[in-house]
Amino acid sequence: MSVIEIRDLHVSVDTDQGNKPILKGVDLTIKSDETHAIMGPNGSGKSTLAYTIAGHPKYTVDSGTITLDGEDILAMSVDERARAGLFLAMQYPVEIPGVTVTNFLRTAKTALDGEAPAIRGWMKDMKTSMENLRMDPSFAARNVNEGFSGGEKKRNEILQLELLKPAFAVLDETDSGLDVDALRVVSEGVNRAKSNTGLGVLLITHYTRILRYIKPDFVHVFVDGRVAEEGGPELAERLEDEGYDRFLTETAVS
Amino acid sequence: MTVTDTSASQNKAGQHGFREHTDGGWGLVPLQTRSERPRSTNVEDFSNLTGREAEWRYTPVERLTALSDGDLDGSPYAVSVTDADGVTAEWIAMGDPRIGSAALPEERPAANAWSQTEKAYAITITGEEPKTITVERDALGANARGAHTVITAKPNSQALLILKSSGDAHLTENVEIVVEEGARLTVVSVQWWSDTATHLASHFARIGRDATLKHVLVTLGGSLVRVNPSLHLAGQGSNVESLGLYYADTGQHLEHQVYVHHDAPYSRSRVNYKGALQGEGAHTVWIGDVLIGPDATGTDSYEQNRNLVLTDGTRADSVPNLEIETGDIAGAGHASATGRFDDEQLFYLQARGITEEEARRLVVRGFLTEIIQQIGDADLQASLETAVEDELATTSLTGDAR
């Protein structure tokens, strides 16, 4: 059983107009096997939270803590965080020219485990995961994300999730831009990872659509860099009916 | 309304700019078109290099006096060649009609080589079945030398020809490549010289009707290496793919000037050069001239150069030029970019547990592999990948070049 604890997190980003605070005191606790959905309107700080957990250099933590089983995540480099068990499925996965998917996955697996995976078992795992995600075998020989469609890029993120077996995954708007078939395939992948490894999931999304396939245990509504409301799955249903207007109006009034 | 007679005011003596200045030089008009650059086999037809000429402005010409002006050893040298059916390789006299069949020199050191070379190495390819030929030379020595190679791909022939150069050299040479009707030829020239070598080369290719040339330059070793491919799309439907890969270390000057001349309808060209630079004084130069002549209707052309700067203290010059003399083309474009590591790529790799140092190696290797992947010979590709790997191993990429 692992746990991520985020306490009173304040994060800012440097822009051309100067330092801009984005997260204004976030508290969150995620345990293994739990799925937390973070929902909220554009600009509420959802992606900032995702990238801050992963350690993107663009974001500055002004105060607060993030720990993984008591260890200070914020003191770790990006790759150390990954080796500690964190995974970020990116909203816009980056192209890496000249590096094949096979090479990339093996290099990452080796870095995470401290030793190269046994060839036969690894190849079999890759093949199975790719089949499950309805990825053509030719993907293995293609360069990472190069010329991939939006849906293919997201499948490739989930392929990594399944093969690298992290303790916690942050899914940053993995559902955006997916058609319903791709959404189902990707969701199945996340659910498989959950049942196989007891993955804890922080699911960041603008829409309630993906929550039909990945059932959240908790829903947190982000507004203006804070958690404005928390609840169970029923909160998502309410959002589906009402949208975010209620929260935006409240903020405007206060 | 007042009518002014403007003709009176255009009196040549009056308005500034109409009269010749006393500093002279008014008769000089810069070359208007790339194809007008003078050509000759006689070294006397070219003036001494000063470094102010457009084509020499990035080159340390003071190190080239022996090659551009001096006496050269023009005798045959030791060369090894693999056997293949339909391929002959022989030393021929400079009076042979094959000499000059692609083009004549445009530069003084090339003309110096032409006039002092005693025998040329001729490779002639026939036969439609694909074959691979490897020509190696590794004992040219440190004395100034001239050389000449003529490669002829007979009509409809097919081959991959690898020219591999290593060891020491102080060399100026011409390489002619004639791709006759319907032939499909790949020429890969690997400059893998020792650290002290100086090498100037002009590659002249003439590509005939419906013929295809893939021309690849890989420049890894040498102190000063300047290889200029001049690719003449002479026949209708001719096609050239010009690829280049270079890796400049501390103090190395690696230069490639590519000239693609579209001279026939429906000709196609793709130029893609990629380079990496690391260490104090590493200097690379890429100039890409594309000329689409008045007869080259339906032409499709694109050229690009990308440089990845790995450390401080390097310099990458990159100059694409595009001249179009016909209104009816299918496409023409160019791109040039020189940059540091892409932080987003590094973040992505690190977020998967890969250390920063290893992430940088992956990115550089991947960047250069794009060219290597297109060579088409597994053994050569593997050995070039190892070579890039070795270059990377000699440096620490954690040093910040941001």
Side-chain angles (χ1 to χ4, degrees):
Chain A
M1 172 69 108
S2 290
V3 58
I4 295 181
E5 291 179 286
I6 300 172
R7 292 290 170 266
D8 196 27
L9 188 68
H10 289 73
V11 174
S12 59
V13 63
D14 278 325
T15 67
D16 295 341
Q17 289 79 43
N19 193 270
K20 187 181 176 213
I22 309 248
L23 298 185
K24 300 164 183 171
V26 174
D27 290 284
L28 209 55
T29 303
I30 309 154
K31 297 183 180 134
S32 296
D33 263 329
E34 290 180 354
T35 298
H36 293 247
I38 296 208
M39 309 193 60
N42 291 328
S44 57
K46 306 188 298 290
S47 283
T48 298
L49 178 65
Y51 280 93
T52 303
I53 294 173
H56 195 287
K58 190 174 140 193
Y59 300 96
T60 309
V61 176
D62 298 316
S63 63
T65 58
I66 306 178
T67 58
L68 171 59
D69 296 334
E71 295 277 333
D72 180 8
I73 284 292
L74 296 176
M76 299 181 190
S77 65
V78 176
D79 48 304
E80 284 169 345
R81 295 179 198 205
R83 292 198 293 275
L86 297 181
F87 180 92
L88 169 63
M90 317 243 176
Q91 186 178 358
Y92 302 109
V94 183
E95 294 182 5
I96 317 278
V99 179
T100 63
V101 170
T102 305
N103 182 10
F104 167 61
L105 286 171
R106 197 177 47 232
T107 306
K109 188 71 177 170
T110 305
L112 290 168
D113 293 358
E115 59 177 0
I119 285 289
R120 275 178 71 186
W122 172 247
M123 295 302 282
K124 190 165 158 282
D125 289 351
M126 243 184 92
K127 189 163 170 281
T128 310
S129 296
M130 288 179 69
E131 278 170 11
N132 285 337
L133 290 164
R134 320 266 200 287
M135 292 172 80
D136 191 89
S138 66
F139 267 87
R142 288 173 63 182
N143 294 332
V144 176
N145 293 322
E146 210 176 57
F148 286 23
S149 70
E152 288 166 347
K153 284 183 181 172
K154 297 298 175 68
R155 281 173 214 225
N156 189 36
E157 293 296 287
I158 303 306
L159 175 68
Q160 295 165 47
L161 173 66
E162 285 204 63
L163 288 169
L164 301 180
K165 300 185 170 45
F168 286 98
V170 180
L171 308 181
D172 186 16
E173 304 210 11
T174 298
D175 53 335
S176 63
L178 292 185
D179 63 37
V180 68
D181 292 328
L183 183 63
R184 192 177 300 127
V185 166
V186 159
S187 302
E188 283 168 9
V190 176
N191 290 331
R192 258 195 313 277
K194 282 186 64 176
S195 62
N196 288 341
T197 63
L199 178 73
V201 176
L202 186 62
L203 181 73
I204 291 173
T205 180
H206 186 78
Y207 307 102
T208 53
R209 195 170 64 132
I210 193 172
L211 303 181
R212 283 179 233 154
Y213 303 100
I214 302 174
K215 293 287 172 215
D217 303 304
F218 305 92
V219 175
H220 314 263
V221 181
F222 253 52
V223 178
D224 193 28
R226 283 189 198 89
V227 177
E229 189 167 341
E230 295 177 290
E234 73 286 346
L235 180 55
E237 284 159 29
R238 201 175 152 198
L239 285 171
E240 179 152 24
D241 297 336
E242 299 175 6
Y244 297 113
D245 286 356
R246 174 164 63 95
F247 298 101
L248 294 173
T249 315
E250 279 172 19
T251 322
V253 171
S254 69
Chain B
M1 187 173 159
T2 316
V3 177
T4 313
D5 181 3
T6 51
S7 64
S9 64
Q10 283 186 355
N11 179 339
K12 280 200 173 188
Q15 190 178 331
H16 179 80
F18 273 109
R19 197 174 49 179
E20 290 190 13
H21 288 274
T22 51
D23 58 1
W26 273 54
L28 281 178
V29 177
L31 281 182
Q32 297 302 301
T33 289
R34 179 63 174 81
S35 58
E36 286 175 0
R37 222 178 257 185
R39 290 177 179 273
S40 171
T41 58
N42 182 1
V43 69
E44 302 302 331
D45 289 343
F46 299 92
S47 44
N48 286 319
L49 307 184
T50 63
R52 292 191 296 274
E53 305 85 350
E55 64 273 31
W56 293 102
R57 73 192 132 152
Y58 299 112
T59 319
V61 293
E62 66 283 358
R63 289 160 63 186
L64 301 176
T65 316
L67 295 180
S68 68
D69 306 342
D71 289 337
L72 303 173
D73 176 358
S75 60
Y77 47 86
V79 57
S80 75
V81 57
T82 57
D83 282 334
D85 282 347
V87 179
T88 60
E90 58 191 324
W91 290 96
I92 61 172
M94 287 299 284
D96 190 283
R98 279 171 279 183
I99 305 293
S101 53
L104 301 180
E106 289 187 309
E107 295 177 350
R108 186 174 168 99
N112 201 32
W114 199 294
S115 48
Q116 295 193 58
T117 299
E118 291 159 21
K119 294 216 156 184
Y121 193 64
I123 302 158
T124 306
I125 297 154
T126 59
E128 295 191 21
E129 60 294 330
K131 48 204 160 285
T132 300
I133 311 118
T134 304
V135 179
E136 282 193 69
R137 51 182 184 179
D138 58 7
L140 293 183
N143 291 333
R145 173 179 267 294
H148 197 114
T149 306
V150 188
I151 300 154
T152 311
K154 289 296 190 185
N156 300 315
S157 62
Q158 254 196 72
L160 164 63
L161 174 64
I162 299 165
L163 306 170
K164 212 166 160 185
S165 300
S166 56
D168 205 359
H170 197 184
L171 171 68
T172 168
E173 68 170 342
N174 294 292
V175 177
E176 295 188 71
I177 304 166
V178 179
V179 192
E180 296 185 356
E181 221 172 277
R184 304 176 66 82
L185 177 67
T186 298
V187 174
V188 184
S189 177
V190 184
Q191 289 67 238
W192 207 331
W193 303 109
S194 66
D195 292 345
T196 53
T198 303
H199 178 210
L200 300 179
S202 295
H203 285 213
F204 306 106
R206 181 185 172 83
I207 304 143
R209 183 173 178 131
D210 297 326
T212 293
L213 172 67
K214 189 197 276 188
H215 183 269
V216 189
L217 291 179
V218 180
T219 305
L220 298 175
S223 168
L224 192 175
V225 180
R226 185 180 192 261
V227 183
N228 297 352
S230 164
L231 311 163
H232 185 191
L233 291 157
Q236 179 171 335
S238 55
N239 184 11
V240 70
E241 206 171 321
S242 166
L243 301 170
L245 162 66
Y246 46 89
Y247 197 127
D249 264 326
T250 306
Q252 272 188 312
H253 177 99
L254 305 181
E255 178 164 353
H256 304 89
Q257 296 190 16
V258 187
Y259 168 36
V260 177
H261 185 187
H262 286 268
D263 201 13
Y266 304 105
S267 52
R268 178 182 182 275
S269 69
R270 288 290 180 276
V271 178
N272 189 7
Y273 272 65
K274 290 183 117 175
L277 301 89
Q278 70 179 28
E280 197 63 36
H283 186 191
T284 66
V285 179
W286 179 84
I287 299 179
D289 294 334
V290 173
L291 169 62
I292 300 175
D295 300 327
T297 51
T299 287
D300 181 11
S301 163
Y302 194 83
E303 60 166 350
Q304 70 166 333
N305 173 228
R306 305 217 176 270
N307 296 298
L308 187 56
V309 174
L310 307 181
T311 66
D312 285 333
T314 67
R315 172 174 170 162
D317 288 297
S318 179
V319 187
N321 297 307
L322 183 54
E323 263 183 89
I324 306 177
E325 295 178 337
T326 174
D328 176 19
I329 59 167
H334 61 204
S336 161
T338 297
R340 315 269 192 182
F341 280 105
D342 180 341
D343 289 342
E344 294 303 321
Q345 288 183 345
L346 294 180
F347 175 72
Y348 188 75
L349 293 168
Q350 283 183 264
R352 299 300 178 252
I354 299 167
T355 62
E356 184 177 354
E357 171 95 8
E358 194 171 1
R360 285 174 189 266
R361 282 184 206 289
L362 264 182
V363 169
V364 182
R365 209 160 44 198
F367 175 79
L368 296 175
T369 297
E370 191 202 338
I371 300 292
I372 297 176
Q373 281 171 343
Q374 296 179 59
I375 287 176
D377 181 79
D379 291 344
L380 181 60
Q381 284 174 215
S383 81
L384 290 176
E385 274 172 19
T386 310
V388 167
E389 200 77 26
D390 291 348
E391 294 271 353
L392 284 169
T394 62
T395 189
S396 164
L397 296 175
T398 50
D400 220 344
R402 265 174 273 179

